[in-house]
């Protein structure tokens, strides 16, 4: 069984909020992974787990011939509206609806960890990418380097049972992703880090942005929106107060 049925429902539940408020926080990461696969004029690329099409738009700006695939029909509706000249398909990452060596390069940004069979998902990326093409797979960094760990930990603390598989940080431990890559027919070439800042105009938009992610939708299905929202907002307000203190102190040194 693939992952599309489960993940499609979760990530599509608040598709417009994801597109409006959260997706663009990954722009620096999209730019880095596109650079890693040497995206450019006339290059055929696949975005596996394309969401609402944000990375596809960045690829199109570079002159790429773009194809995106995602589990969520709702997100794909937005992607097609944003980039009508691209090709978008709904499918499992573990069973991509494309021929062998169909693409010059492929990217998978924060998507492989949600596949029910991550190794098979990476094998599929390898299969559809031409010989000597490039595949870039991105995941969250180590929890100690990501402040979003506090939000995830707060939400997990109220769940009746801890989710299996590691959630967003499933590929974050040293060598986990590299081992999957090397076992899937790809040759590990290089790795890097990208900083993505999450910033929102107010706490309500912060909630709408963060809760649009499939992982938080799953938590709300388990314990209800009110309980999850309370935990997320309480945690986020800590960073809001820190920012306010920094903004207040800074003029004193001007």
């Amino acid at each position: 069984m693939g992952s599309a049925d489960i993940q499609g429902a979760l990530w599509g539940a608040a598709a417009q909020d994801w597109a409006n408020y959260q997706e663009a926080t990954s722009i620096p990461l999209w730019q880095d992974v596109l650079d890693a696969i040497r995206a450019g004029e006339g290059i055929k690329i696949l975005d596996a787990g394309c969401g609402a099409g944000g990375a596809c738009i960045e690829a199109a700006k570079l002159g790429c011939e773009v194809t995106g695939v995602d589990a969520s029909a709702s997100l794909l509706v937005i992607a097609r509206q944003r980039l009508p000249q691209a090709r978008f398909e709904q499918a499992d990452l573990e069973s991509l609806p494309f021929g062998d060596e169909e693409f010059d390069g492929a990217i998978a940004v924060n998507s492989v960890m949600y596949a029910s069979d991550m190794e098979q998902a990476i094998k599929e990326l390898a299969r559809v990418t031409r010989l000597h093409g490039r595949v870039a797979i991105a995941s969250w960094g180590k929890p100690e380097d990501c402040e979003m760990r506090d939000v995830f930990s707060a939400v997990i603390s109220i769940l009746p049972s801890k989710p299996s598989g590691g959630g967003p940080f499933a590929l974050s431990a040293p060598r986990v992703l590299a081992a999957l890559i090397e076992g899937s027919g790809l040759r590990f070439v290089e790795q890097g880090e990208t900083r993505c800042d999450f910033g929102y105009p107010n706490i309500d938009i912060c909630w709408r942005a963060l809760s649009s992610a499939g992982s938080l939708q799953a938590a709300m299905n388990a314990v209800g929106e009110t309980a999850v929202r309370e935990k997320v907002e309480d945690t986020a307000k800590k960073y809001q107060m820190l920012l306010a203190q920094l903004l207040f102190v800074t003029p004193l040194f001007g």
Side-chain angles (χ1 to χ4, degrees):
M1 178 181 175
S3 56
D5 288 344
I6 295 172
Q7 296 299 331
L10 292 174
W11 288 90
Q16 199 64 60
D17 279 350
W18 174 264
N20 290 346
Y21 305 123
Q22 185 61 22
E23 188 182 48
T25 60
S26 293
I27 288 175
L29 182 54
W30 298 334
Q31 293 171 339
D32 282 350
V33 295
L34 289 170
D35 183 63
I37 66 167
R38 299 170 182 167
E41 191 69 38
I43 299 297
K44 292 181 64 176
I45 75 151
L46 171 68
D47 183 356
C50 66
C56 295
I57 292 171
E58 295 299 311
K61 291 177 183 176
L62 298 173
C64 296
E65 182 180 331
V66 181
T67 298
V69 64
D70 201 86
S72 167
S74 298
L75 287 171
L76 289 173
V77 167
I78 299 171
R80 293 185 182 107
Q81 291 170 345
R82 288 173 160 181
L83 200 65
Q85 70 271 32
R87 174 186 179 188
F88 292 102
E89 300 285 351
Q90 184 180 10
D92 280 312
L93 294 187
E94 301 94 324
S95 182
L96 295 173
F98 310 113
D100 295 351
E101 300 189 36
E102 190 167 331
F103 301 98
D104 300 312
I107 64 173
V109 179
N110 294 335
S111 58
V112 167
M113 72 276 276
Y114 296 110
S116 57
D117 186 338
M118 291 186 285
E119 184 174 1
Q120 178 59 29
I122 297 175
K123 286 180 178 178
E124 280 291 272
L125 292 173
R127 179 185 66 79
V128 302
T129 303
R130 66 171 174 79
L131 186 64
H132 306 306
R134 285 195 160 206
V135 175
I137 300 170
S139 68
W140 288 79
K142 299 186 294 295
E144 57 266 31
D145 295 333
C146 300
E147 292 169 338
M148 271 295 293
R149 69 182 181 276
D150 295 338
V151 172
F152 294 137
S153 295
V155 172
I156 287 172
S157 72
I158 61 172
L159 296 181
S161 60
K162 187 175 180 179
S164 61
F169 296 111
L171 299 176
S172 302
R175 288 291 302 167
V176 172
L177 179 54
L180 282 172
I181 289 171
E182 292 165 351
S184 301
L186 295 171
R187 180 171 61 89
F188 186 82
V189 176
E190 60 183 341
Q191 65 182 14
E193 295 183 354
T194 301
R195 172 173 171 160
C196 294
D197 294 323
F198 290 10
Y200 313 100
N202 55 59
I203 197 68
D204 181 63
I205 295 299
C206 175
W207 163 250
R208 292 179 65 178
L210 297 181
S211 65
S212 67
S215 50
L216 265 69
Q217 288 291 325
M220 287 189 281
N221 288 345
V223 298
E225 178 178 339
T226 300
V228 176
R229 182 167 185 164
E230 181 178 294
K231 283 292 184 180
V232 170
E233 291 187 349
D234 284 349
T235 305
K237 283 175 181 176
K238 176 179 70 174
Y239 293 99
Q240 184 183 41
M241 290 181 66
L242 175 61
L243 177 60
Q245 290 169 3
L246 289 173
L247 289 174
F248 176 76
V249 170
T250 300
L252 298 180
F253 297 92

